Amino acid sequence: MIEISPSKVARIIIRARTLDAKTGRWDTPMDDAEADSILESRPSDATEDELRSYISDLNSDEQASLVAIMWIGRETYTADDLDEAIETAKAEATAPTEDYLLGIPMLSDYLSAGLDELGYDTEELIDDHLK
């Protein structure tokens, strides 16, 4: 059984999707931010900092479950191996969880797939946050 609320995972997925959508700057540093620059990765953009902070504020059991869900979505483990994945995540935690997870391309996709494999309706959970 996961030791993190599926709703919290959905919130992380939303923020990770936002982060994934960011692109490199296409204007100069002194240019004003305009509506079309919302997808630019700018130093003043707090998206990554907010996500890092949210993950780091989770307790160690929640963080281990989050990593396990990602591993299940990445097909490193199956849903039947959830307990083993959580224990492995706890035992192998050597870096801050937020650094590990944010270094994984397609994080939001893996978390979504992991929740789905565990029997949750990821899109419904996400929709609940967006209402």
Side-chain angles (χ1 to χ4, degrees):
M1 182 170 170
I2 60 173
E3 300 173 21
I4 184 171
S5 160
S7 179
K8 287 183 179 181
V9 180
R11 181 176 175 165
I12 292 167
I13 291 168
I14 292 166
R15 300 309 287 167
R17 284 181 179 172
T18 303
L19 198 57
D20 288 345
K22 300 287 181 176
T23 64
R25 288 185 71 148
W26 56 75
D27 58 359
T28 60
M30 299 308 286
D31 288 345
D32 289 331
E34 297 176 10
D36 65 345
S37 66
I38 193 165
L39 293 179
E40 287 183 9
S41 181
R42 295 176 168 264
S44 61
D45 180 12
T47 305
E48 183 174 345
D49 291 340
E50 289 171 2
L51 185 53
R52 282 183 180 281
S53 178
Y54 190 78
I55 294 170
S56 71
D57 288 345
L58 299 173
N59 68 44
S60 60
D61 290 334
E62 290 173 318
Q63 289 180 0
S65 287
L66 185 62
V67 170
I69 292 166
M70 187 277 298
W71 284 342
I72 290 168
R74 191 175 67 181
E75 298 180 356
T76 304
Y77 288 90
T78 66
D80 292 337
D81 299 325
L82 175 63
D83 291 337
E84 179 185 350
I86 292 172
E87 290 307 313
T88 302
K90 288 178 181 179
E92 294 184 1
T94 57
T97 304
E98 61 276 14
D99 291 344
Y100 172 65
L101 290 175
L102 292 178
I104 295 175
M106 299 174 43
L107 174 63
S108 62
D109 293 338
Y110 292 143
L111 289 172
S112 294
L115 279 180
D116 288 342
E117 285 296 315
L118 292 168
Y120 296 96
D121 185 339
T122 304
E123 292 309 314
E124 183 177 311
L125 289 165
I126 290 170
D127 287 346
D128 288 345
H129 278 278
L130 298 177
K131 291 181 181 174

